[in-house]
Amino acid sequence: MSVRPTSAAPPLLLLEQVSKWYGPVLSLNQVTLELGAGITGLVGPNGSGKSTLIKLATGLIRPTLGRVSVRGLDASDWRARHAIGYCPDHDAFYEEMSGREFVRTMAKLNGFTAADVTDRAEAVLTRVGMAGRADRKIRGYSKGMRQRIKLAQALLHDPELLILDEPLSGIDPLGRQEMLDLFRSLAEQGKCLLISSHELEELEKLTDRAAILAKGRIASVGTLQQIRALFDDYPMSVRVVLDRPRELARHLLDLDGVLGFDLQDDGLGLTIRARSPERFFAAFAALLLERRIEIRELEPLDDSAHAILGYLLGGSGKT
Amino acid sequence: MTNPSENLLRYRPWKGELNPPIYASLAMARASLRLLLRRKVFWALYALALMIFFFFFYAQYLVVWITMQTTSQTVNFGSVPVKMNELTKFLDRLNLSGTPHTFGNFIWFEGYILMIVLALSGAVLVGNDFHHGSLPFYLSKPIGRRHYVLGKMLGIGGLINLMTTLPALVLFIEAGLLYDWQSYYWDQRMLLLGILAYGALLTVVLSLLLVATAVWVRRTVPLIMIWSGLFVLARSVAGFLVEVQGFHPVLKLIDLWNDLYLIGLWFMGADIDPGKLGPNPQPWQAAIAVTALGVGCLVYLRKRIQAIEIVI
């Protein structure tokens, strides 16, 4: 499955028919995925294989079958990691180090010369908002500060591909907004961000593109709307607010694919259930124009990541 | 977080050249050493190691000073006449005369402290990376697994040399200054090379052994138990078998620190006299045993490195 069309250059991240076994447990099952620039959310319930996919992409583990490549290089090749910045979920540091010292050490591991280490470390610390607090020992950091330091070390070498595992966990609302802005600006620079998160609402604010994992397989890849459109069996719900709901309701019965509707208690809105979103919206727009009905609000009720996950996984969609 | 324009000014796409990953190994070694030097629990051990060094340093000086200061063959302590050779006799066992045995003994005694430091540091430097899950930070950088292992070995090697080779070299310089330095340094140039070779041997064998055992058991207590088994129990068993039960000296090969000591003396050109050192295997036998151990550790590490699956 492809998120972005392929170009002449080798894809930034490519998983080809990748399977990963841990002893008798199949963690990933024949996953094929290609990522290019932009933000992609990686969502799925616990045990769906998200962490395994991330470790394969960063070369920390090797696939049992198939191939993982980064810009054409095998992901387990150390040179491939020049293109990858990884912010793990785990925050096990050397607690005696200060944040600045840790980032500087990571810069040296990245191969920066002594002359560049300070500049680079200061640049990323500033970028993640830790420049003024980085001299404290990591042992005394809050969860949010640890997240920022992890992000700083991932940004050091200006990687094309940023793999972020739960980057928003533990960060306060203001910090969250800053982080989301940072991710957006990185995506605007042409970076590829693969973000695994349980914070679906935050993820939706960031991107509408997602790779949904379930039981070790890629259940779906694409924009949330594209994925939603594939669920022909599940009626779509749309809430419409307008002044003449009863008039609209009369005409709705003639529209192809409309299964039913409910009038709202306040008399100013309708909740419509329809099959096949594309056909419904085309017919619905034509109806509104033809009958000159003005609507004030239109809100799809179940194309959120939660709802889609629920349909995909056959449950609540909780991850 | 700063405003976007400031971000753009400070955080620019990286276009420069990066060092090859061997530099990452050096950085890792420096970080490891800093970590060990910073832990307060180690300070007492460093102080003990320093005390052994000062003992050798001042005792070496004392032996020469007493010999030069006293013109008669006896000195009086109160009204009790004591022969000059009796006065420094207690120091004779340490051979404080700038000979190969001086440095061999010094490193032997430092070994007691070194073994404790290494047993504790194995978990700090290597075991914790596996146990607490900090390995992904390092291995997600553009370095290979062998660079990681090399970095850790260099860090441990640095510590070993700080506690053995470096102070031994200071003792060597001191010995030269206490005697006729021009002739001493020239005459004992092979001894100097021997000290360096002994240090290199300790570095390679002990760092390999420590990384291998730390990768294997990871936690401090099991690591201490293994090192106690290797350096205390094995030594006691070897002593009991050879010196008490009278078995063949080749059984002493199970005492690794003694093997390293014998090879070290061999490197420094010392006379390995069974009358003085007790029954011991030949240095070449010790060399075979140590080489076998080193190769065993290398094979184990190679297998582990290939199989490292960072599953946290």
Side-chain angles (χ1 to χ4, degrees):
Chain A
M1 279 174 235
S2 175
V3 173
R4 290 276 168 171
T6 50
S7 59
L12 192 44
L13 174 66
L14 178 64
L15 287 90
E16 295 168 285
Q17 291 292 311
V18 171
S19 296
K20 179 67 188 175
W21 291 81
Y22 291 113
V25 179
L26 179 59
S27 180
L28 272 190
N29 189 1
Q30 293 197 312
V31 167
T32 297
L33 179 70
E34 183 184 330
L35 292 187
I39 302 173
T40 302
L42 184 63
V43 291
N46 291 333
S48 59
K50 294 193 301 289
S51 297
T52 303
L53 192 146
I54 283 178
K55 283 171 190 158
L56 284 164
T58 47
L60 293 175
I61 57 175
R62 292 189 177 96
T64 313
L65 289 171
R67 182 169 186 259
V68 184
S69 59
V70 177
R71 282 277 180 244
L73 283 169
D74 194 283
S76 57
D77 185 330
W78 62 267
R79 284 165 295 196
R81 289 194 281 279
H82 278 303
I84 301 173
Y86 177 43
C87 174
D89 180 24
H90 230 68
D91 54 332
F93 304 97
Y94 284 133
E95 302 281 322
E96 295 87 349
M97 283 186 178
S98 67
R100 181 165 273 112
E101 208 178 335
F102 178 75
V103 173
R104 288 173 60 92
T105 302
M106 290 294 120
K108 287 173 194 164
L109 294 195
N110 269 312
F112 285 104
T113 58
D116 292 321
V117 163
T118 306
D119 275 359
R120 209 60 201 166
E122 291 310 314
V124 291
L125 285 170
T126 306
R127 186 85 204 247
V128 299
M130 281 296 289
R133 300 178 281 177
D135 283 327
R136 282 164 54 182
K137 294 250 191 297
I138 291 177
R139 156 182 324 127
Y141 278 8
S142 66
K143 175 84 176 160
M145 290 164 81
R146 284 167 179 262
Q147 291 285 26
R148 286 166 192 258
I149 287 293
K150 280 194 294 182
L151 189 60
Q153 63 83 31
L155 289 172
L156 272 164
H157 55 300
D158 189 33
E160 281 183 278
L161 170 62
L162 260 170
I163 298 177
L164 312 170
D165 199 353
E166 297 292 343
L168 300 173
S169 107
I171 299 188
D172 58 75
L174 189 63
R176 245 165 219 237
Q177 196 50 52
E178 291 173 351
M179 287 291 162
L180 295 179
D181 291 343
L182 172 60
F183 298 156
R184 277 191 205 100
S185 71
L186 287 168
E188 282 162 14
Q189 285 175 14
K191 313 272 182 220
C192 170
L193 284 84
L194 180 64
I195 302 179
S196 163
S197 180
H198 285 98
E199 317 270 347
L200 294 182
E201 285 79 13
E202 302 290 0
L203 207 56
E204 279 185 279
K205 284 183 203 164
L206 203 58
T207 177
D208 62 353
R209 205 162 65 228
I212 299 176
L213 274 171
K215 294 177 184 168
R217 282 182 175 272
I218 295 274
S220 196
V221 177
T223 65
L224 294 177
Q225 288 73 26
Q226 284 170 343
I227 296 171
R228 177 64 186 86
L230 298 173
F231 292 108
D232 276 344
D233 295 341
Y234 288 89
M236 177 195 61
S237 297
V238 182
R239 192 170 68 88
V240 187
V241 178
L242 70 169
D243 295 329
R244 295 181 285 158
R246 289 178 186 278
E247 184 187 347
L248 178 63
R250 276 200 302 278
H251 297 299
L252 276 176
L253 290 172
D254 299 332
L255 278 192
D256 188 28
V258 172
L259 299 173
F261 51 82
D262 295 315
L263 273 170
Q264 281 180 203
D265 293 341
D266 57 9
L268 291 175
L270 270 174
T271 301
I272 306 165
R273 290 185 304 284
R275 188 170 286 151
S276 181
E278 272 183 44
R279 271 184 291 148
F280 166 73
F281 280 119
F284 186 62
L287 171 72
L288 295 177
L289 287 171
E290 187 187 328
R291 302 288 171 187
R292 296 180 182 279
I293 299 172
E294 279 187 24
I295 61 169
R296 293 209 300 267
E297 239 177 74
L298 187 142
E299 182 190 9
L301 294 178
D302 62 350
D303 68 351
S304 69
H306 265 308
I308 289 169
L309 265 183
Y311 292 150
L312 271 173
L313 308 175
S316 65
K318 283 186 180 170
T319 54
Chain B
M1 201 167 287
T2 54
N3 65 51
S5 58
E6 192 177 338
N7 281 339
L8 286 173
L9 279 175
R10 299 217 59 182
Y11 182 80
R12 296 178 301 275
W14 174 254
K15 300 289 181 205
E17 285 289 310
L18 294 171
N19 283 325
I22 187 73
Y23 284 84
S25 299
L26 293 174
M28 200 173 283
R30 279 196 299 271
S32 302
L33 260 181
R34 268 203 304 272
L35 211 67
L36 287 181
L37 294 175
R38 195 179 281 176
R39 292 219 164 187
K40 286 179 185 158
V41 70
F42 286 97
W43 288 5
L45 294 166
Y46 299 143
L48 279 173
L50 205 59
M51 208 173 74
I52 293 173
F53 167 71
F54 281 132
F55 177 80
F56 271 77
F57 187 88
Y58 288 112
Q60 192 168 237
Y61 173 74
L62 189 69
V63 167
V64 175
W65 184 80
I66 290 175
T67 314
M68 289 173 69
Q69 289 298 310
T70 51
T71 48
S72 61
Q73 291 298 305
T74 57
V75 288
N76 288 328
F77 275 96
S79 56
V80 182
V82 178
K83 285 183 182 174
M84 265 310 298
N85 59 350
E86 292 291 330
L87 198 62
T88 55
K89 200 171 184 177
F90 76 101
L91 294 171
D92 287 350
R93 277 177 63 91
L94 297 173
N95 289 293
L96 295 159
S97 49
T99 60
H101 283 288
T102 308
F103 307 105
N105 287 343
F106 169 71
I107 291 176
W108 174 275
F109 285 110
E110 286 283 17
Y112 291 105
I113 312 297
L114 182 65
M115 290 311 129
I116 302 170
V117 170
L118 290 183
L120 292 173
S121 58
V124 174
L125 291 186
V126 183
N128 282 355
D129 287 354
F130 287 82
H131 188 63
H132 295 310
S134 39
L135 212 50
F137 281 117
Y138 308 119
L139 295 186
S140 63
K141 298 295 168 201
I143 61 169
R145 286 155 199 223
R146 62 182 186 279
H147 300 115
Y148 168 81
V149 172
L150 179 65
K152 293 295 175 181
M153 283 180 61
L154 285 173
I156 295 161
L159 186 72
I160 292 169
N161 283 294
L162 277 175
M163 292 181 70
T164 55
T165 317
L166 191 68
L169 289 175
V170 175
L171 287 180
F172 179 83
I173 293 168
E174 185 206 15
L177 295 175
L178 290 173
Y179 301 100
D180 176 9
W181 65 273
Q182 282 164 318
S183 60
Y184 181 85
Y185 291 143
W186 179 250
D187 294 344
Q188 302 294 340
R189 60 191 185 279
M190 294 312 288
L191 172 58
L192 177 65
L193 288 177
I195 293 171
L196 293 173
Y198 191 6
L201 174 77
L202 292 175
T203 304
V204 173
V205 174
L206 294 179
S207 54
L208 260 177
L209 183 65
L210 185 63
V211 173
T213 48
V215 165
W216 177 32
V217 295
R218 304 182 181 187
R219 303 186 78 163
T220 307
V221 173
L223 200 60
I224 290 174
M225 287 167 73
I226 285 178
W227 277 65
S228 304
L230 275 171
F231 293 101
V232 180
L233 184 66
R235 182 182 295 181
S236 307
V237 171
F240 174 76
L241 291 175
V242 176
E243 282 153 25
V244 180
Q245 295 295 318
F247 283 104
H248 195 277
V250 80
L251 286 175
K252 263 199 163 181
L253 288 175
I254 61 170
D255 180 354
L256 178 61
W257 189 244
N258 190 56
D259 293 344
L260 293 168
Y261 174 66
L262 291 173
I263 302 170
L265 289 181
W266 187 29
F267 283 159
M268 292 187 287
D271 175 28
I272 304 168
D273 175 16
K276 204 170 177 181
L277 297 177
N280 268 304
Q282 293 298 310
W284 63 267
Q285 291 172 319
I288 290 172
V290 167
T291 307
L293 179 77
V295 170
C297 289
L298 262 179
V299 170
Y300 174 74
L301 272 175
R302 190 167 183 277
K303 282 180 77 174
R304 289 290 305 175
I305 290 168
Q306 282 175 340
I308 286 179
E309 295 270 283
I310 297 139
V311 182
I312 299 159

